[in-house]
Amino acid sequence: MSDLSTIKFAKDIRLTTLEMVYHARASHIGGAFSMADILSVLYSNFIRIDPKNPESVDRDRFLLSKGHACTSLYATLALKGFFPKEELLTYGKDGSRLLSHTTHKIPGVEISAGSLGHALSISGGLALAAKRKSANWNTYCLVSDGELNEGSNWEMILLAPQLKLDNLILIVDYNKIQSLGKVKDVINLDSLKKKFEAFNWEVFDIDGHNHEELTSALDQCQTKNGIPKVIIANTIKGKGVSFMEDTVLWHYKSPDENQYKEAILELEKN
Amino acid sequence: MRTAFINQLIEEAKVNDKIFLLVGDLGFSVVEPFAELFPDRYLNVGIAEQNMAGIAAGLAMEGYNVYIYSIGNFPTLRCMEQIRYDICYHNLNVNIVAVGGGYAYGSLGASHHATEEIGMLRTIPNLVVCAPGDPAEAKAITTFTSNYVGPCYIRIGKAGEPDVHKPNGPGSLMLGDILPVSKAGEVAILSTGAMLKYVTDFVENNNIKASIYSFPFIKPINSEKLFNIFNSHTKLITIEEHQASAGFGSAILEIMNDFAERKELTSIPSLKRIAIPDQFYSVAGSQGYLREQAGLVLEKGDILNAISIEK
């Protein structure tokens, strides 16, 4: 049975994200929406972190690699109480600390990201540190599908099984669209599952909008069996607003007033 | 220098359990003693420098003081963005160690000539840029970086360079220190990195009167000490095993210009920069041969003429 609270939280993340993007006339809402369900389930039931003590040494680490989709992470953190919700409306404005790519100056954000292909290596370093210190926290890293074009990711995808980093949980937001078109038309990743299996990762190939599947996969990722885990979350870019779904346009576009209102109505209905 | 570095790193690691060494599948017959003594604080990440820099950032976030080690351009140019963004923007305790600075790997070709990295690295905020001049400076820089909080770049030479600082070396270093090797006359030769031995030999062999200063730090440079050098000499010669563009001589010029612009200098010394003239060299040859090809040589006349003008 679906967890109604995570579904409600995902809706709140999307509504809050929409508001930020609309007021800032910002872009990247498609990729922010595609990962909203992942964030909801992660932050509701898996990532062990205290919003009032976000630098506690025994917290789980979450690293967002696709920093351009920062709005839904900022929304998630504000809604969870890491910083005041009111601050979200300063997003992208002059002097705001809420940059348009994830910034580590924000409570709860581990690293700044923006240049793609960086966070997985850092995540590997964190997971290695936990191993060397016999600490039991996990490192979660969320990457986009397009950024798997970056060779640096594959350096860590090669190394993590060698180091037996079973405390490293990689999530691919596989929304099938990158900057200039469909992933399959730019560099086809299929079969991503077989690729990760060939690299000796434990793979969970799931519907990234289905909270039961996300929960089940994340539950299984807690197993310490010497193998790093990857969740291939098959998602839809712009998920939640029909006219934004599965189109490259909403990697760039900001909604006008009518689209904003229409999007709210759709999100409220779901 | 390589040996001085690793030996001192081992000494530091004995008393500082935060020191962690990552290598990019290089360091044969150098890193093994560290790996044997501190297996929990050592890792060969394979031939993957971008990953190495990222891993170092992650380890540093968890409190380690990380050294990443490889040859010349590999832990620097190959992962420049990871250095800038992951390490320096997050202001982490990562020390990037490049062996084989300049033409140390002469005949191995342009891939192994580390002749541009100082210019690239010294523009990055938060990063301290070091190029020790002899094994004693390499040892002192290792101690400095093991205690310093923040990112550092350390360009070291190869194995077997002689010590210049005798008998007890330069002692402990403060950030930005300039090391006087000799003080004499109106001309000062400012040397960074492994050019130092050549400079001291040249002055000694030609029986020339000139001050020699070694700069183990290219960024930052102690501006008060440098101001005193500007004020007490009429001619300066900078020498470095690096492209003229954006290198050590450029750094000295920038600082001198800022003093002059603020009208803090009563007279401005002339400055000759000896550096690589915007070229690659595609001939085989020893370090010494390639230095000559690139014009990294002192001219006796430059120093003597300046002295006679003074008189």
PDB file of all heavy atoms in Angstrom, chain A residues 89-107:
ATOM      1  N   LEU A  89      11.395  32.055  -1.337  1.00  0.00           N
ATOM      2  CA  LEU A  89      10.990  33.054  -2.341  1.00  0.00           C
ATOM      3  C   LEU A  89      12.119  34.024  -2.686  1.00  0.00           C
ATOM      4  O   LEU A  89      11.976  34.842  -3.597  1.00  0.00           O
ATOM      5  CB  LEU A  89       9.738  33.807  -1.880  1.00  0.00           C
ATOM      6  CG  LEU A  89       8.480  32.947  -1.941  1.00  0.00           C
ATOM      7  CD1 LEU A  89       7.256  33.717  -1.465  1.00  0.00           C
ATOM      8  CD2 LEU A  89       8.234  32.404  -3.359  1.00  0.00           C
ATOM      9  N   THR A  90      13.249  33.903  -1.993  1.00  0.00           N
ATOM     10  CA  THR A  90      14.419  34.706  -2.391  1.00  0.00           C
ATOM     11  C   THR A  90      15.217  33.986  -3.475  1.00  0.00           C
ATOM     12  O   THR A  90      16.194  34.535  -3.984  1.00  0.00           O
ATOM     13  CB  THR A  90      15.377  34.961  -1.200  1.00  0.00           C
ATOM     14  OG1 THR A  90      16.047  33.733  -0.847  1.00  0.00           O
ATOM     15  CG2 THR A  90      14.641  35.513   0.007  1.00  0.00           C
ATOM     16  N   TYR A  91      14.776  32.779  -3.810  1.00  0.00           N
ATOM     17  CA  TYR A  91      15.525  31.933  -4.745  1.00  0.00           C
ATOM     18  C   TYR A  91      15.946  32.700  -6.017  1.00  0.00           C
ATOM     19  O   TYR A  91      15.107  33.268  -6.716  1.00  0.00           O
ATOM     20  CB  TYR A  91      14.675  30.722  -5.134  1.00  0.00           C
ATOM     21  CG  TYR A  91      15.230  29.914  -6.271  1.00  0.00           C
ATOM     22  CD1 TYR A  91      16.388  29.173  -6.111  1.00  0.00           C
ATOM     23  CD2 TYR A  91      14.597  29.903  -7.514  1.00  0.00           C
ATOM     24  CE1 TYR A  91      16.908  28.439  -7.165  1.00  0.00           C
ATOM     25  CE2 TYR A  91      15.108  29.171  -8.567  1.00  0.00           C
ATOM     26  CZ  TYR A  91      16.265  28.446  -8.392  1.00  0.00           C
ATOM     27  OH  TYR A  91      16.785  27.725  -9.437  1.00  0.00           O
ATOM     28  N   GLY A  92      17.240  32.712  -6.272  1.00  0.00           N
ATOM     29  CA  GLY A  92      17.763  33.315  -7.500  1.00  0.00           C
ATOM     30  C   GLY A  92      17.757  34.836  -7.510  1.00  0.00           C
ATOM     31  O   GLY A  92      18.173  35.444  -8.495  1.00  0.00           O
ATOM     32  N   LYS A  93      17.296  35.447  -6.421  1.00  0.00           N
ATOM     33  CA  LYS A  93      17.232  36.918  -6.385  1.00  0.00           C
ATOM     34  C   LYS A  93      18.594  37.490  -5.976  1.00  0.00           C
ATOM     35  O   LYS A  93      19.423  36.807  -5.364  1.00  0.00           O
ATOM     36  CB  LYS A  93      16.155  37.361  -5.380  1.00  0.00           C
ATOM     37  CG  LYS A  93      14.749  36.822  -5.676  1.00  0.00           C
ATOM     38  CD  LYS A  93      14.038  37.656  -6.720  1.00  0.00           C
ATOM     39  CE  LYS A  93      12.762  37.003  -7.243  1.00  0.00           C
ATOM     40  NZ  LYS A  93      11.744  36.785  -6.241  1.00  0.00           N
ATOM     41  N   ASP A  94      18.783  38.767  -6.258  1.00  0.00           N
ATOM     42  CA  ASP A  94      20.041  39.434  -5.889  1.00  0.00           C
ATOM     43  C   ASP A  94      20.349  39.228  -4.404  1.00  0.00           C
ATOM     44  O   ASP A  94      19.506  39.526  -3.559  1.00  0.00           O
ATOM     45  CB  ASP A  94      19.951  40.947  -6.151  1.00  0.00           C
ATOM     46  CG  ASP A  94      19.978  41.268  -7.627  1.00  0.00           C
ATOM     47  OD1 ASP A  94      20.220  40.335  -8.427  1.00  0.00           O
ATOM     48  OD2 ASP A  94      19.764  42.442  -7.976  1.00  0.00           O
ATOM     49  N   GLY A  95      21.538  38.761  -4.122  1.00  0.00           N
ATOM     50  CA  GLY A  95      21.980  38.632  -2.733  1.00  0.00           C
ATOM     51  C   GLY A  95      21.487  37.396  -2.001  1.00  0.00           C
ATOM     52  O   GLY A  95      21.904  37.149  -0.873  1.00  0.00           O
ATOM     53  N   SER A  96      20.626  36.609  -2.614  1.00  0.00           N
ATOM     54  CA  SER A  96      20.107  35.409  -1.943  1.00  0.00           C
ATOM     55  C   SER A  96      21.189  34.336  -1.859  1.00  0.00           C
ATOM     56  O   SER A  96      22.030  34.212  -2.747  1.00  0.00           O
ATOM     57  CB  SER A  96      18.913  34.853  -2.719  1.00  0.00           C
ATOM     58  OG  SER A  96      18.535  33.600  -2.181  1.00  0.00           O
ATOM     59  N   ARG A  97      21.165  33.556  -0.777  1.00  0.00           N
ATOM     60  CA  ARG A  97      22.110  32.426  -0.722  1.00  0.00           C
ATOM     61  C   ARG A  97      21.566  31.224  -1.496  1.00  0.00           C
ATOM     62  O   ARG A  97      22.262  30.230  -1.668  1.00  0.00           O
ATOM     63  CB  ARG A  97      22.440  32.066   0.726  1.00  0.00           C
ATOM     64  CG  ARG A  97      21.263  31.618   1.558  1.00  0.00           C
ATOM     65  CD  ARG A  97      21.701  31.210   2.972  1.00  0.00           C
ATOM     66  NE  ARG A  97      20.543  30.791   3.758  1.00  0.00           N
ATOM     67  CZ  ARG A  97      20.623  30.117   4.892  1.00  0.00           C
ATOM     68  NH1 ARG A  97      21.807  29.798   5.387  1.00  0.00           N
ATOM     69  NH2 ARG A  97      19.533  29.786   5.546  1.00  0.00           N
ATOM     70  N   LEU A  98      20.315  31.317  -1.913  1.00  0.00           N
ATOM     71  CA  LEU A  98      19.727  30.218  -2.682  1.00  0.00           C
ATOM     72  C   LEU A  98      20.097  30.377  -4.152  1.00  0.00           C
ATOM     73  O   LEU A  98      19.340  30.907  -4.966  1.00  0.00           O
ATOM     74  CB  LEU A  98      18.212  30.188  -2.510  1.00  0.00           C
ATOM     75  CG  LEU A  98      17.706  29.777  -1.127  1.00  0.00           C
ATOM     76  CD1 LEU A  98      16.207  29.977  -1.022  1.00  0.00           C
ATOM     77  CD2 LEU A  98      18.054  28.319  -0.831  1.00  0.00           C
ATOM     78  N   LEU A  99      21.300  29.911  -4.481  1.00  0.00           N
ATOM     79  CA  LEU A  99      21.774  29.969  -5.868  1.00  0.00           C
ATOM     80  C   LEU A  99      20.936  29.032  -6.741  1.00  0.00           C
ATOM     81  O   LEU A  99      20.290  28.112  -6.249  1.00  0.00           O
ATOM     82  CB  LEU A  99      23.244  29.526  -5.916  1.00  0.00           C
ATOM     83  CG  LEU A  99      24.249  30.420  -5.203  1.00  0.00           C
ATOM     84  CD1 LEU A  99      25.580  29.709  -5.076  1.00  0.00           C
ATOM     85  CD2 LEU A  99      24.422  31.716  -5.985  1.00  0.00           C
ATOM     86  N   SER A 100      21.032  29.225  -8.029  1.00  0.00           N
ATOM     87  CA  SER A 100      20.254  28.399  -8.952  1.00  0.00           C
ATOM     88  C   SER A 100      20.927  27.065  -9.283  1.00  0.00           C
ATOM     89  O   SER A 100      20.464  26.336 -10.155  1.00  0.00           O
ATOM     90  CB  SER A 100      19.963  29.184 -10.232  1.00  0.00           C
ATOM     91  OG  SER A 100      19.219  30.330  -9.905  1.00  0.00           O
ATOM     92  N   HIS A 101      22.033  26.793  -8.649  1.00  0.00           N
ATOM     93  CA  HIS A 101      22.565  25.434  -8.588  1.00  0.00           C
ATOM     94  C   HIS A 101      22.850  25.162  -7.108  1.00  0.00           C
ATOM     95  O   HIS A 101      23.253  26.058  -6.385  1.00  0.00           O
ATOM     96  CB  HIS A 101      23.859  25.288  -9.402  1.00  0.00           C
ATOM     97  CG  HIS A 101      23.617  25.214 -10.873  1.00  0.00           C
ATOM     98  ND1 HIS A 101      23.606  26.318 -11.674  1.00  0.00           N
ATOM     99  CD2 HIS A 101      23.350  24.157 -11.687  1.00  0.00           C
ATOM    100  CE1 HIS A 101      23.356  25.945 -12.927  1.00  0.00           C
ATOM    101  NE2 HIS A 101      23.196  24.643 -12.959  1.00  0.00           N
ATOM    102  N   THR A 102      22.663  23.921  -6.706  1.00  0.00           N
ATOM    103  CA  THR A 102      22.750  23.582  -5.285  1.00  0.00           C
ATOM    104  C   THR A 102      23.998  24.151  -4.634  1.00  0.00           C
ATOM    105  O   THR A 102      25.082  24.039  -5.192  1.00  0.00           O
ATOM    106  CB  THR A 102      22.805  22.049  -5.080  1.00  0.00           C
ATOM    107  OG1 THR A 102      22.430  21.416  -6.271  1.00  0.00           O
ATOM    108  CG2 THR A 102      21.942  21.616  -3.959  1.00  0.00           C
ATOM    109  N   THR A 103      23.839  24.719  -3.462  1.00  0.00           N
ATOM    110  CA  THR A 103      24.976  25.319  -2.773  1.00  0.00           C
ATOM    111  C   THR A 103      25.096  24.789  -1.352  1.00  0.00           C
ATOM    112  O   THR A 103      24.108  24.651  -0.633  1.00  0.00           O
ATOM    113  CB  THR A 103      24.851  26.858  -2.750  1.00  0.00           C
ATOM    114  OG1 THR A 103      25.767  27.377  -1.782  1.00  0.00           O
ATOM    115  CG2 THR A 103      23.452  27.314  -2.401  1.00  0.00           C
ATOM    116  N   HIS A 104      26.357  24.511  -0.979  1.00  0.00           N
ATOM    117  CA  HIS A 104      26.603  23.941   0.357  1.00  0.00           C
ATOM    118  C   HIS A 104      26.486  24.985   1.450  1.00  0.00           C
ATOM    119  O   HIS A 104      26.671  24.659   2.621  1.00  0.00           O
ATOM    120  CB  HIS A 104      27.976  23.275   0.400  1.00  0.00           C
ATOM    121  CG  HIS A 104      29.151  24.206   0.261  1.00  0.00           C
ATOM    122  ND1 HIS A 104      29.488  24.821  -0.919  1.00  0.00           N
ATOM    123  CD2 HIS A 104      30.080  24.609   1.155  1.00  0.00           C
ATOM    124  CE1 HIS A 104      30.564  25.568  -0.742  1.00  0.00           C
ATOM    125  NE2 HIS A 104      30.946  25.461   0.501  1.00  0.00           N
ATOM    126  N   LYS A 105      26.159  26.210   1.078  1.00  0.00           N
ATOM    127  CA  LYS A 105      25.954  27.238   2.097  1.00  0.00           C
ATOM    128  C   LYS A 105      24.583  27.095   2.764  1.00  0.00           C
ATOM    129  O   LYS A 105      24.260  27.816   3.704  1.00  0.00           O
ATOM    130  CB  LYS A 105      26.072  28.637   1.484  1.00  0.00           C
ATOM    131  CG  LYS A 105      27.318  28.871   0.633  1.00  0.00           C
ATOM    132  CD  LYS A 105      28.591  28.965   1.453  1.00  0.00           C
ATOM    133  CE  LYS A 105      29.802  29.214   0.543  1.00  0.00           C
ATOM    134  NZ  LYS A 105      31.050  29.300   1.273  1.00  0.00           N
ATOM    135  N   ILE A 106      23.754  26.207   2.229  1.00  0.00           N
ATOM    136  CA  ILE A 106      22.400  26.003   2.753  1.00  0.00           C
ATOM    137  C   ILE A 106      22.385  24.833   3.736  1.00  0.00           C
ATOM    138  O   ILE A 106      22.928  23.773   3.426  1.00  0.00           O
ATOM    139  CB  ILE A 106      21.427  25.694   1.583  1.00  0.00           C
ATOM    140  CG1 ILE A 106      21.386  26.866   0.589  1.00  0.00           C
ATOM    141  CG2 ILE A 106      20.029  25.364   2.080  1.00  0.00           C
ATOM    142  CD1 ILE A 106      20.853  28.143   1.171  1.00  0.00           C
ATOM    143  N   PRO A 107      21.778  25.008   4.902  1.00  0.00           N
ATOM    144  CA  PRO A 107      21.715  23.891   5.855  1.00  0.00           C
ATOM    145  C   PRO A 107      21.091  22.643   5.228  1.00  0.00           C
ATOM    146  O   PRO A 107      20.040  22.738   4.583  1.00  0.00           O
ATOM    147  CB  PRO A 107      20.819  24.433   6.981  1.00  0.00           C
ATOM    148  CG  PRO A 107      20.915  25.921   6.862  1.00  0.00           C
ATOM    149  CD  PRO A 107      21.105  26.219   5.407  1.00  0.00           C
TER     150      PRO A 107
END
